[in-house]
C-alpha cells in the first residue's frame, strides 16, 4: 500500500507574524519557512507504517511556490521515498485554497492509488482545517480527522480521534483520508546522512495545469488587520492583593 | 437568503450554548432553519425550536446518524442544501469534521472559525494563530461557515419554531463507530464556562494537576490546559486551549504555570480578565495578563484556593 502525505510550506511556528501596514496581508518576505508541524507528524506516521511493513512506499506532495521543494526535501530526509512538487504560485503571499489543493490531490490520488492519505489537521498559517475533509469528499473516501492513534488492519484503519468531548474511535474502510492531531506521534529529526541521501531521491515537478485544476481563489481577501490589543495589566505582589483586585474587578 | 444551521447534538442532547451562539451569528444572514441530526434527535430538536430567531427545525432521526459520522451526515446536508444561501454550524470538532466535506461536495470553499459577519458574503476570521484578522469575501453561490462561538452571544430562548421530519439519506457505509472515551464531569463545559482555570507544564505531573482542579472547583470553573500539559499526560486532550485546541473567552481566565506561547494565547486572549501565575517574571503570559503574580504555583495556588 502506498501512503500519500501532503505537506505544506508555512511560516515557521516560532516566527512572530507581522501584518503589513497597508492591510494587504502578512509579511512573508525573508521570514523562516518550515514544514507545517501537523504535516511533520503525518510524514512520521507514514514512515512508521512503512517501517512496520504496512506501507510499501511513502510519497510526499506539496503544492505552492517552487521553494516548497525544500519542504519536500525535508520529508525525503525524514524517510519519504519520493516527492511531487506542484508549482501553483509564483509569490509566497499567494496561498492556494484547500478546495484547489484538494482537487489537485484528488487527481494525484487517482494516478497513484494510495491506500491512505495522511494530511495535517490544520495549516498553521490559514488555520482552515479543511483540506483532508475536502479531499475525502472529492475522492468519495472515508475520513478520520484529528487522529490521536492510527492502526492499519487489513483493508481498514482504526483511528482514535481527538474530539471536543474526549476521544472517539472509528473504523474506516481503506482507501481513506486521515488527518493528524498533535498526540499522534513525535516526529523524528532528519539525520545528516539522511539529508544527504534525500538529495538523490526522486522529486517530480508538475503544475496545477497538469492536473487541469483551476486554482483561482473563491475567497477574496479584502483586508488583513492586526488583532485588537489588550490594555496593559498590573503585577500584584501577593495572593492577598490578587484576591482584593479580583474582588474590586467583580471577577469573583 | 436562507440559512441551514447544523445543531450541535451529543448523544441526543442539544449543546444549547454552542447552537444558540451560532443562531445569533447567523441571524443577519437570513431566515434560520435548524437541522437536528442524530439517532435520537427529537428532544434536541424540540429544545432548538425554543431558540429565538429559529424559523423551523428539521429533524433527521435515524440510527445512521448515531455518532454523527462525517460521510452520512455530510451526504444528508448536501441533499438538503438546495434553497439555502448559507450552511452554517458552531465551530465544534463535529462541525469542523463535517462542513468542509459538505463544501467540497458542493464545489465551494469553507470558511472556518468565523468571528464576525460583515455582510452576507463578507466575513472576518483569525489567521496565523490569531496574530492577524482577515476579512474575506466569498464568491461562492453557497457559503459554508463554522462560527467561533466564543465571540458571539447566545440567542435568547422563548421561540416556538415548527418541527418537520426529514427522511434519512443514503449511507455511504465508509466508516463505523467503535467507541467513545468521554470523561464524565460535573464541571462546566470549557467553551461555555464563565471562569476557566488552566494549568501548564509548570504543574509538573498528573497528580499535581489536582491543585488546578481544586482551585477550579472553588471558583465553579472549567479546567483547561496548555498543549505541553496535555502532551505530558497531565491532562486529557479535550482540555487543551489554543490555536489547535479549544478557544475560550470567559469572564475570568487563570493561567497557572503556562509560559504564554502564541499558540496558547490564540485560545484565550479574548477572555475578559486574565490572571497569570508563573515563577518566571519574564514569561510572555504576563504581557496579556490583567493581574500577574510572580510566584511558585505550589504555594500560590493552594493559598488562593484557601482565601477565595
Ligand atoms: C502546531 C502547534 C500547535 C500548537 N497548539 C497549541 C495549543 O493549541 N495550545 C497550547 O497551549 N499550545 C500549543 N502549542 C504549543 C506551544 O507552542 C507551547 O509549546 C505550549 O503552549 C507551552 O506550554 P506551557 O506554557 O505549559 O509550557 P512551557 O512553555 O514549558 O511553560 C511552562 C511555564 O511554567 C512555569 N513554571 C514552571 N514551574 C513553575 C512553578 N513551580 N510555579 C510557577 N510557574 C512555574 C515556567 O516559568 C514556564 O513559564 C502548539 C505548538 C505547535 C507547534
Ligand atoms: N498547499 C498545500 N500543499 C500540500 N499540502 C497541503 C497544502 N495545503 C494544505 N495541505 C494539507 O492539508 C492540511 C490541512 O490544511 P488546511 O486545510 O489548509 O488547514 C495540511 O496540514 C496539509 O497536510
Amino acid at each position: 500500500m502506498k501512503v500519500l502525505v501532503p505537506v505544506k510550506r508555512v511560516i515557521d511556528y516560532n516566527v512572530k507574524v507581522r501584518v503589513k501596514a497597508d492591510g494587504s496581508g502578512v509579511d512573508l518576505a525573508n521570514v523562516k519557512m518550515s514544514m507545517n508541524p501537523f504535516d511533520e507528524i503525518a510524514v512520521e506516521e507514514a514512515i512508521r507504517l512503512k517501517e512496520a511493513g504496512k506501507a510499501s512506499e511513502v510519497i510526499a506532495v506539496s503544492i505552492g511556490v517552487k521553494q516548497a521543494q525544500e519542504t519536500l526535501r525535508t520529508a525525503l530526509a525524514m524517510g519519504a521515498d519520493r516527492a511531487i512538487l506542484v508549482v501553483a504560485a509564483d509569490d509566497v503571499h499567494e496561498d492556494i485554497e484547500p478546495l484547489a489543493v484538494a482537487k489537485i490531490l484528488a487527481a494525484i490520488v487517482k494516478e497513484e492509488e494510495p491506500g491512505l492519505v495522511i494530511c495535517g489537521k490544520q495549516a498553521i498559517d490559514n488555520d482552515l482545517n479543511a483540506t483532508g475533509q475536502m479531499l475525502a469528499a472529492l475522492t468519495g473516501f472515508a475520513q478520520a480527522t484529528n487522529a490521536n492513534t492510527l492502526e492499519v488492519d487489513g483493508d481498514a484503519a482504526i483511528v482514535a480521534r481527538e474530539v471536543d468531548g474526549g476521544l472517539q474511535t472509528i473504523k474506516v474502510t481503506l482507501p481513506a483520508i486521515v488527518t493528524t492531531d498533535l498526540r499522534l506521534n513525535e516526529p523524528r529529526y532528519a539525520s545528516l546522512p539522511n539529508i544527504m541521501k534525500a538529495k538523490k531521491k526522486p522529486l517530480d515537478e508538475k503544475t496545477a495545469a497538469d492536473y487541469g485544476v483551476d486554482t483561482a481563489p473563491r475567497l477574496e481577501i479584502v483586508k488583513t488587520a492586526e488583532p485588537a490589543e489588550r490594555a496593559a495589566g498590573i503585577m500584584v505582589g501577593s495572593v492577598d492583593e490578587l484576591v482584593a483586585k479580583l474582588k474590586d474587578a467583580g471577577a469573583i | 437568503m436562507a440559512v441551514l444551521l447544523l445543531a450541535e447534538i451529543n448523544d441526543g442532547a442539544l449543546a444549547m450554548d454552542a447552537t444558540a451562539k451560532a443562531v445569533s451569528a447567523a441571524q443577519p444572514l437570513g431566515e434560520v432553519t435548524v437541522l437536528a441530526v442524530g439517532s435520537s434527535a427529537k428532544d434536541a430538536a424540540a429544545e432548538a425550536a425554543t431558540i429565538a430567531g429559529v424559523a423551523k427545525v428539521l429533524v433527521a432521526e435515524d440510527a445512521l446518524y448515531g455518532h454523527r459520522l462525517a460521510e452520512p451526515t455530510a451526504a444528508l446536508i448536501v441533499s438538503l442544501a438546495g434553497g439555502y444561501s448559507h450552511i452554517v454550524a458552531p465551530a465544534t470538532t463535529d462541525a469542523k469534521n463535517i462542513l468542509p466535506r459538505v463544501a467540497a461536495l458542493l464545489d465551494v470553499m469553507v470558511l472556518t472559525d468565523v468571528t464576525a459577519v460583515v455582510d452576507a458574503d463578507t466575513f472576518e476570521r483569525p489567521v496565523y494563530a490569531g496574530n492577524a484578522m482577515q476579512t474575506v469575501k466569498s464568491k461562492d453561490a453557497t457559503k459554508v461557515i463554522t462560527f467561533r462561538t466564543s465571540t458571539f452571544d447566545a440567542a435568547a430562548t422563548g421561540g416556538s419554531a415548527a418541527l418537520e421530519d426529514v427522511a434519512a439519506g443514503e449511507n455511504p457505509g465508509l466508516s463505523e463507530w467503535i467507541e467513545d472515551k468521554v470523561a464524565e464531569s460535573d464541571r462546566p463545559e470549557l467553551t461555555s464556562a464563565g471562569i476557566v482555570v488552566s494549568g501548564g507544564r509548570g504543574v509538573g505531573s498528573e497528580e499535581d494537576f489536582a491543585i488546578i482542579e481544586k482551585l477550579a472547583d472553588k471558583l465553579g470553573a472549567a479546567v483547561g490546559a496548555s498543549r505541553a500539559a496535555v502532551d505530558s499526560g497531565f491532562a486529557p486532550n479535550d482540555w487543551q486551549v489554543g490555536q489547535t485546541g479549544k478557544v475560550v473567552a470567559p469572564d475570568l481566565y487563570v493561567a497557572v504555570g503556562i509560559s504564554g506561547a502564541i499558540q496558547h494565547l490564540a485560545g484565550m486572549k479574548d477572555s475578559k480578565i486574565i490572571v497569570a501565575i508563573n515563577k518566571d517574571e519574564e514569561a510572555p503570559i504576563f504581557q496579556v495578563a490583567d493581574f500577574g503574580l510572580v510566584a511558585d504555583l505550589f504555594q500560590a495556588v493552594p493559598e488562593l484556593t484557601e482565601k477565595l
Side-chain angles (χ1 to χ4, degrees):
Chain A
M1 164 178 95
K2 291 185 194 173
V3 180
L4 192 73
V5 187
V7 296
K8 187 176 186 186
R9 179 177 185 266
V10 296
I11 189 166
D12 187 84
Y13 81 96
N14 272 316
V15 174
K16 174 91 181 85
V17 171
R18 303 225 174 272
V19 175
K20 288 196 246 176
D22 64 0
S24 66
V26 153
D27 195 358
L28 294 175
N30 306 316
V31 301
K32 185 178 177 207
M33 305 292 279
S34 300
M35 188 188 300
N36 184 41
F38 286 101
D39 305 352
E40 290 182 2
I41 297 172
V43 173
E44 175 67 35
E45 197 65 15
I47 297 166
R48 288 187 191 184
L49 285 171
K50 192 180 169 196
E51 287 166 349
K54 305 227 161 161
S56 53
E57 191 183 29
V58 176
I59 309 160
V61 186
S62 194
I63 297 151
V65 290
K66 189 123 187 165
Q67 293 91 317
Q69 61 172 263
E70 293 159 20
T71 314
L72 289 169
R73 289 289 171 206
T74 305
L76 293 169
M78 286 174 74
D81 297 295
R82 63 187 166 93
I84 304 170
L85 169 66
V86 182
V87 179
D90 301 323
D91 181 343
V92 287
H93 295 93
E94 222 180 299
D95 193 35
I96 312 296
E97 289 175 350
L99 182 61
V101 170
K103 285 180 179 178
I104 292 169
L105 292 173
I108 295 174
V109 164
K110 212 164 182 187
E111 257 175 39
E112 299 283 353
E113 300 185 328
L116 200 57
V117 181
I118 312 180
C119 292
K121 93 163 172 187
Q122 173 174 341
I124 59 157
D125 49 5
N126 64 31
D127 280 333
L128 274 164
N129 187 339
T131 306
Q133 300 89 308
M134 291 189 133
L135 176 61
L138 299 177
T139 52
F141 294 169
Q143 69 186 56
T145 53
N146 308 1
N148 175 281
T149 60
L150 164 66
E151 195 190 311
V152 172
D153 181 13
D155 58 359
I158 317 271
V159 179
R161 307 178 50 235
E162 295 199 6
V163 295
D164 284 339
L167 290 171
Q168 178 195 54
T169 304
I170 60 171
K171 182 174 177 174
V172 290
T173 308
L174 299 181
I177 315 293
V178 170
T179 74
T180 61
D181 216 320
L182 295 168
R183 263 64 62 176
L184 184 58
N185 62 47
E186 229 175 280
R188 70 193 66 187
Y189 291 102
S191 66
L192 196 57
N194 285 344
I195 293 172
M196 299 311 289
K197 264 194 248 164
K199 293 189 175 155
K200 297 205 189 79
K201 289 186 179 176
L203 192 158
D204 261 5
E205 207 180 296
K206 304 274 194 181
T207 65
D210 291 339
Y211 299 103
V213 174
D214 175 9
T215 58
R218 304 294 185 85
L219 305 176
E220 178 201 340
I221 300 171
V222 181
K223 82 172 182 224
T224 306
E226 296 266 7
E229 287 252 1
R230 284 189 74 89
I234 57 160
M235 299 302 285
V236 294
S238 66
V239 169
D240 287 320
E241 196 185 339
L242 176 60
V243 172
K245 292 284 182 209
L246 288 173
K247 282 191 175 142
D248 283 352
I252 51 171
Chain B
M1 298 282 218
V3 184
L4 182 65
L5 186 152
L6 178 67
E8 177 71 10
I9 299 175
N10 301 306
D11 274 339
L14 180 75
M16 187 56 162
D17 185 71
T19 306
K21 283 174 171 168
V23 169
S24 86
Q27 211 83 90
L29 301 172
E31 191 177 89
V32 177
T33 299
V34 169
L35 172 63
V37 188
S39 56
S40 95
K42 290 218 163 70
D43 291 349
E47 205 183 336
T50 67
I51 301 173
V54 172
K56 190 170 37 167
V57 181
L58 303 178
V59 194
E61 189 173 89
D62 193 284
L64 175 57
Y65 306 118
H67 301 280
R68 299 272 293 268
L69 294 170
E71 302 85 6
T73 313
L76 174 74
I77 295 172
V78 169
S79 74
L80 298 170
Y84 295 103
S85 54
H86 297 76
I87 298 175
V88 309
T92 58
T93 48
D94 239 12
K96 287 179 168 179
N97 191 32
I98 296 165
L99 286 207
R101 190 173 177 109
V102 168
L105 291 171
L106 296 173
D107 192 27
V108 300
M109 254 299 281
V110 62
L111 287 143
T112 56
D113 269 311
V114 164
T115 50
V117 174
V118 179
D119 61 37
D121 308 318
T122 316
F123 306 90
E124 212 175 271
R125 59 182 300 276
V127 288
Y128 296 94
N131 284 301
M133 298 303 296
Q134 215 170 52
T135 305
V136 289
K137 189 176 164 112
S138 166
K139 297 172 195 160
D140 285 319
T142 310
K143 278 81 179 162
V144 178
I145 302 166
T146 62
F147 289 114
R148 178 172 282 191
T149 52
S150 61
T151 57
F152 296 95
D153 293 326
T157 51
S160 56
L163 268 57
E164 186 184 306
D165 285 327
V166 296
E170 51 159 330
N171 180 6
L174 296 165
S175 57
E176 197 183 304
W177 173 83
I178 296 180
E179 67 166 347
D180 283 337
K181 275 204 188 111
V182 179
E184 290 301 327
S185 160
D186 296 334
R187 297 198 183 99
E189 199 267 316
L190 188 52
T191 55
S192 55
I195 304 180
V196 173
V197 180
S198 289
R201 198 197 310 268
V203 178
S205 70
E206 191 183 357
E207 295 73 57
D208 284 332
F209 226 80
I211 301 176
I212 304 296
E213 296 179 48
K214 274 193 196 125
L215 174 58
D217 291 341
K218 190 75 179 268
L219 287 165
V223 185
S226 71
R227 172 194 175 177
V230 176
D231 284 6
S232 311
F234 307 168
N237 64 275
D238 50 306
W239 289 5
Q240 182 181 311
V241 170
Q243 177 188 16
T244 60
K246 287 181 176 151
V247 179
V248 302
D251 295 330
L252 174 61
Y253 187 89
V254 184
V256 181
I258 292 178
S259 61
I262 53 166
Q263 292 85 6
H264 188 78
L265 302 186
M268 44 65 78
K269 69 181 162 62
D270 292 330
S271 304
K272 270 206 196 81
I273 295 180
I274 296 173
V275 170
I277 301 175
N278 195 302
K279 69 176 180 190
D280 173 12
E281 60 181 310
E282 304 282 324
I285 190 77
F286 288 126
Q287 289 163 20
V288 299
D290 298 278
F291 304 117
L293 176 63
V294 178
D296 184 276
L297 72 92
F298 296 101
Q299 264 141 34
V301 176
E303 187 186 337
L304 179 60
T305 308
E306 161 112 32
K307 287 181 171 161
L308 282 167

